[in-house]
Amino acid sequence: AIVLCGTILAHEHTEATLERDDGDDVDLDSSLSFGLVGMGVHYFPDERGGFHIGGTLGLAYAVADVPASRFERLGGVGFGASLATGYDWWVADQWALGVIGRFTGARLHGEATDAGVTAEEDDTAAAIAVMFSVLHH
């Protein structure tokens, strides 16, 4: 069975680092919020079984506070994708509880202006998550 779905993912990275063009890593000293909103599709090889694989394509964002910088925030928006695999266990006629492993990645672009100075950034963000799910069939 093929299932179409809407997907909203949000990740909070509490110890985020920034890799600069010169190769140096900089601790942000703040959390980084990263998310994806899009349309997804999941494939269940056996309609009565719980194993499934799927993915999502959509709009991604990332934002972090940067207090020691001329610009108070960094981040941007762009294209994102997510791949997932999981298993659901039936708990009622139309309901299942499950677990999903998911990788999400995105290419982002941001721009900020302060006192006539404009800064642009191009970023790559990624997250790996293990999540619990509630599914209505």
Side-chain angles (χ1 to χ4, degrees):
I2 294 178
V3 177
L4 300 177
C5 62
T7 304
I8 300 172
L9 301 171
H11 301 275
E12 190 77 16
H13 300 273
T14 57
E15 296 180 19
T17 59
L18 174 69
E19 182 181 326
R20 297 183 343 189
D21 287 340
D22 62 10
D24 288 340
D25 286 344
V26 177
D27 289 330
L28 291 181
D29 294 328
S30 71
S31 62
L32 174 87
S33 298
F34 169 51
L36 174 69
V37 177
M39 290 301 299
V41 61
H42 281 258
Y43 172 63
F44 289 77
D46 178 358
E47 288 181 8
R48 301 203 182 277
F51 174 75
H52 58 97
I53 58 174
T56 297
L57 299 175
L59 181 66
Y61 71 90
V63 64
D65 292 330
V66 189
S69 170
R70 173 181 201 148
F71 302 97
E72 295 178 8
R73 293 180 171 254
L74 62 80
V77 297
F79 172 77
S82 181
L83 298 174
T85 187
Y87 195 90
D88 296 317
W89 292 270
W90 293 98
V91 294
D93 286 343
Q94 296 294 316
W95 290 93
L97 299 177
V99 64
I100 298 174
R102 182 179 295 272
F103 171 79
T104 305
R107 292 284 302 156
L108 309 162
H109 178 77
E111 191 172 304
T113 302
D114 179 37
V117 175
T118 300
E120 290 187 46
E121 62 181 282
D122 290 305
D123 303 313
T124 302
I128 296 173
V130 175
M131 302 175 288
F132 297 101
S133 65
V134 177
L135 184 61
H136 181 265
H137 296 264

